[in-house]
Amino acid sequence: MPKSGSTLKISRRTALAGLSASAALLAMPRLGRAADETIRIGFPTPLTGPFAAEARDQVKCAELAVKLANDKGGIGGRKVELLVRDDKLNAGEAATRTLELIEKDKVHAVVGALSSAVQLAVNEVTRARGVIYVSISQSDTINEAKDFSKYTFHEALNPHMTTAAVARQTLKKGMKVAHLVADYAYGHEMLRGFKRAQTAIGADNVGEILHPFGAADYSTFMPRLMSLRPDVLCISNFGRDQANAIKQAVDFGVKQQMKIVVPVILHNQRLAVGPDVFEGVVGGANYYWGLETQSKSAAAFNAAFKAANGGAIPTDYGAYGYAGVGSLLAAMQTAGGTDTDKVVDALEKLQYDLTKGPQHYRKCDHQSVQPVLVLESKKKSAMANDNDLFAILANDTGSDDMLRSCSELGHAT
Amino acid sequence: MDLSLIIMQLLSGIALGAVLVITALGLTIVFGMLGVVNFAHGALFMIGAYAGLYLASLTGSFWWGLLLAPILIGGFGMLIEYVLIRRLYGRSIDDPLLLTFGLSYILVEGVRIVFGSDGIPFPTPPQLIGVLDLGIGFFPRYRLFVIALVAVVLLVLWLTLEKTRIGLIVRAGARDPTIMQVLGVDIGRVWLAIFGLGVGLAALGGVLAGPMRSVNPEMGSLVLAEAFVVTVIGGLGSIVGAVVAGLMVGISISLVALFAPEMATIVMFALMAVVLLIRPQGLFGIRGRTA
């Protein structure tokens, strides 16, 4: 019997060879994993709080976009996973959750946020860490040079676009306009947009009243607003504030004296207060399911959403969730993976049409150039069914003219 | 600024104050008589609005909802007292506070599960839709009705407490429950009724607020904060205090809204801070009661 030591004598050369082979063996499954590793997309949104209804619609539609991608075999063979986090409509909470998504969950990109202040907090975090962020919250500031980075994209409409479209449909030269505005970023941006459109049209500003964010009672603003005797009242606030403000304005007989106009008319709030209150109110929108008679993409999106959600129809904010995640996934498909620079490049070149017509991200500020709708809330007797909420007054095709110029926003041109 | 505008503004302040009074009243009565700080008061206000809406749609009339919801939810309040709160009498004030705080979460989540977290429309009763021409301006009929109804409720409550035997027992029970027991009064039953009354008033506030605001699971949280501010200004446990402070807060909010609208919410807290600095026990509070 030979001694084991003599036969198993290992030379330095074989040892090295063996080591590198085993290193290769260890490395190989890693390489394999990297190729079919799931693509993780972080999705912070305010699931609790006053915008919970809108946030839930965002999640449903974002999940739909992910499901459709996975059904087609994923992105370059990799499965896509959506990691939804509750930002509680709080900038600090959103920053913490986003940081966790990046550091702990190793997400490849972030999509989401609903409030304008919260999206800026998310953007701070993603920008500092070089992670792509597709914002689906309405805001003007995110386009401006000081908050911009090459990783920041804005899929949602911005106040400048919606107020201009609404003003074109409702204001005329010489009209008197009063404003009731929520006293925070969103309200201020909408007011600025309306005033700019007003000046261009030649309408007169007769007064502005700022109300605290999240107020339940608006009665105390009504006598003053009525005494201003405007032709049009612009109510620039969001979520339940919109529902409460319009409802109480109607209680005070405001509609008999003037037309009520909002920058963005909200599907869920119209449902929450009913047709009589909203009757005749005009506002902008990114999406309305009734667009399906005019747009093939809308019909396809509605059908996919209905199939996944037991026949329900997608809402305005839902469509943001779908287009935000959908455009990102389309760019990842083109880029062949999750390499950040390649995806950024692909997003900048992307032409997409997911819900309502052709869209693309403008090169200088990454704002999505897209169609803007103007809707009017229908009278109860004119509704064909429970989902028949609005009449489409205008569907403006997306163009760069709708946006503030790159140089105005402070970008190098 | 013309006088008619200021009068209209005062009127909307009184209407706003009326809802504050009715919610703060329930809170202050329960604290004054039972020593319980009811953190579920806002949630019960919200439950009241939902119950009113449900009963109104069941019976086809707002008036049945307005009448039955406070009774039904008041009864539910008595159940809460009998099953949960009763066990905590004689313990530190924090215990019922924590209990009701937890309860408020359960109630809000319960409503979210049953009715969803979206708001539900609460139609104004057809008789009260529209505005009334007061000569100096238009004012919603429904809000005028709310002012009138709250005035009636206050009158009935005051007469009951001051002029009836039940009121006498209740007032005596708040002063010295031990003596009352010695005198052969079942103080437990009095407490049960008082808690039911407090919760019933919260529910009444909810039903009244329903047609003015959107009805949703979170509608009570802001109301709870407002009701606390009003009770602190008026003096914890003081009924007169709740009435005076409620109207004072409503009118202050309204008048500030005329001159500096963005300050409308803060004025209520500023008022509370000033009152606490000058009279820590509140306008009508008794010194040492809050300790």
Side-chain angles (χ1 to χ4, degrees), chain A residues 47-50 52-54 56-57 183 208-227 229 240 243-244 247-248 250-254 256-257 268-275, chain B residues 1-2 5 8-9 12-13 16 112 116-124 130-131 138-141 143 210-219 222 226 250 253-255 257-266:
Chain A
L47 288 170
T48 49
E54 283 80 10
R56 267 203 327 271
D57 288 332
D183 191 12
E208 294 155 20
I209 294 183
L210 295 178
H211 75 74
F213 167 63
D217 198 282
Y218 295 82
S219 63
T220 55
F221 309 119
M222 295 307 158
R224 169 101 179 273
L225 281 172
M226 311 257 305
S227 76
R229 306 208 164 273
R240 278 174 190 156
N244 279 329
K247 183 168 176 136
Q248 291 170 31
V250 171
D251 287 346
F252 270 81
V254 161
Q256 277 89 339
Q257 281 189 20
N268 287 323
Q269 299 310 325
R270 155 59 189 78
L271 289 178
V273 288
Chain B
M1 197 145 297
D2 62 312
L5 180 59
M8 290 302 288
Q9 205 71 31
S12 47
L16 185 62
R112 280 197 190 128
S117 49
D118 307 349
I120 303 182
F122 195 143
T124 310
V131 288
F138 298 97
F139 204 76
R141 287 168 200 272
R143 282 183 194 252
M212 296 193 276
R213 305 169 185 181
S214 65
V215 174
N216 58 65
E218 292 83 25
M219 70 185 290
L222 197 67
E226 288 170 350
I253 290 178
S254 194
L255 290 182
L258 195 55
F259 302 105
E262 58 271 48
M263 299 291 163
T265 313
I266 300 168

Side-chain angles (χ1 to χ4, degrees), chain B residues 46-57 65 69-70 72-73 115 122 203 207:
Chain B
M46 176 272 296
I47 298 266
Y50 273 90
L53 186 56
Y54 180 73
L55 290 167
S57 62
L72 190 78
I73 303 304
F115 295 97
F122 195 143
V207 187

Side-chain angles (χ1 to χ4, degrees), chain A residues 1-34:
Chain A
M1 233 188 178
K3 280 187 180 164
S4 58
S6 63
T7 48
L8 282 178
K9 192 175 169 195
I10 298 166
S11 73
R12 204 170 129 255
R13 189 177 292 267
T14 39
L16 273 174
L19 268 173
S20 49
S22 49
L25 263 172
L26 278 170
M28 243 156 62
R30 258 200 80 76
L31 287 172
R33 259 212 302 278

